[in-house]
Amino acid sequence: MEKITPLTLRHRFGLEIARKLRQEQIKEHPLRQLFWECTLRCNLHCRHCGSDCKKEAGFADMPLQDFLRVLDQVGERTDPHKVFVILTGGEPLVREDLEVCGRAIYERGFPWGMVTNGLYLTRDRLNRLRAAGLHTATVSLDGLEAEHNWMRGRPESFERALDAIRFLVEATDVIFDVVTCVNRRNIAQLEAIKQLLIDTGVKRWRVFTIFPTGRAAKDPALQLTGEEFRRVMEFIRTTRKEGHIQLSYGCEGFLGNYEGEVRDHLFFCQAGVVVGSVLIDGSISACPSIRADYHQGNIYQDNFMDVWEQRFQPYRDREWMRTGDCATCKYFRYCLGNGMHLRDGEGKLMFCHLKRLEE
């Protein structure tokens, strides 16, 4: 492995403290986030989609009652107010019963939010969702108009996403952020996107880069060079210092000396430690981006909380990741092999953020 720039003493000190806290959290593994992949139907055809969602999905939407049984199991063993439910897909808003789902989740004591492309979010729909207990939302905006529409595959998607963002700005009782997938087509627009979001009233912004899976695996226009990746980190660091918008890099990837400077926390893949998920076919997993190879059970055969307490060992003891480049990397103690979603079916690392920074 290429020589990695040594960590500063300040970074190493912070990472050691974070490492000890992480060990305690792994030991206790309190469930704090639960994703529900409530549909695989989608109204867009995004170039970078990792789940290859379609207008006509291969799986029917999961019946609400099936997921509510999971929540009842969770509620028997932990405080539901401490477990945040996130509805994802596909596109959650294609479910006509989304408000019914949200209300049932909220009535069981679970706060909930959703991840959306914004295409179907009208002001009236947002008000109905708020009445059903909507706490948070995430909306995707992947560039200015031409670049966003190129990524998302529909000519009206940019204006609809921007409208959704404006509606959420007005809804002061909903905490929301905007996420942007940085690629070779939109990296030069980061300043312009930032100004657009600030002018629109957005307070929170996240950017992430694309890992090579799903449709993105065969699209070189989506993969940044090492120099471009460093530009993104510098942009985030500068923007955070300016203080006009709260910008962070996504949760994935150990970033060396950028740790503590480009997001609000130090790197720690929390999949299977505090984050779980119920996928469209009933699979019990962690982050919804993780491959089927790492599913831990199924709600149609297993009690979710039994699985949460008794399985998930590949997530909580990651020594098995100490192979390939990770076997000799001196920063494995902080990274623990990167995010689980960046491992292929054989356990090999598909993408290393630290190596990309050194290119």
Side-chain angles (χ1 to χ4, degrees), residues 299-317:
I299 66 168
Y300 296 114
Q301 287 86 43
D302 305 298
N303 179 290
F304 178 90
M305 288 304 291
D306 285 345
V307 173
W308 181 256
E309 292 297 340
Q310 300 167 14
R311 303 185 196 176
F312 282 89
Q313 289 314 302
Y315 293 83
R316 297 168 189 168
D317 181 0

Side-chain angles (χ1 to χ4, degrees), residues 113-235:
M114 66 175 179
V115 179
T116 178
N117 59 43
L119 193 69
Y120 285 175
L121 190 64
T122 63
R123 184 179 282 107
D124 181 63
R125 188 89 194 267
L126 176 59
N127 288 337
R128 297 200 305 270
L129 291 167
R130 291 164 63 196
L134 179 71
H135 279 60
T136 71
T138 292
V139 181
S140 297
L141 190 75
D142 290 326
L144 301 181
E145 186 167 8
E147 286 67 28
H148 177 91
N149 291 342
W150 170 82
M151 176 69 86
R152 296 284 164 173
R154 281 186 65 160
E156 73 274 35
S157 59
F158 174 80
E159 283 300 330
R160 296 284 187 86
L162 199 55
D163 282 344
I165 292 167
R166 292 184 180 118
F167 300 149
L168 285 162
V169 168
E170 295 171 1
T172 55
D173 57 331
V174 178
I175 298 172
F176 82 99
D177 66 353
V178 173
V179 294
T180 297
C181 171
V182 183
N183 57 77
R184 304 199 76 182
R185 285 279 295 260
N186 69 7
I187 186 171
Q189 298 180 340
L190 287 175
E191 283 288 346
I193 299 168
K194 177 179 72 176
Q195 195 57 53
L196 172 64
L197 295 178
I198 292 171
D199 291 345
T200 306
V202 174
K203 303 298 184 184
R204 301 170 188 85
W205 184 25
R206 273 183 296 143
V207 302
F208 65 96
T209 49
I210 300 174
F211 52 96
T213 189
R215 296 175 194 155
K218 300 179 181 179
D219 194 338
L222 300 180
Q223 306 298 326
L224 300 181
T225 65
E227 188 275 332
E228 289 169 332
F229 191 59
R230 288 190 297 275
R231 280 171 54 195
V232 173
M233 295 301 110
E234 291 296 328
F235 171 78

Side-chain angles (χ1 to χ4, degrees), residues 65-79:
Q65 292 303 317
D66 295 357
F67 183 65
L68 293 181
R69 282 195 292 272
V70 173
L71 293 187
D72 290 340
Q73 293 164 6
V74 173
E76 288 174 358
R77 303 197 199 178
T78 190
D79 183 354

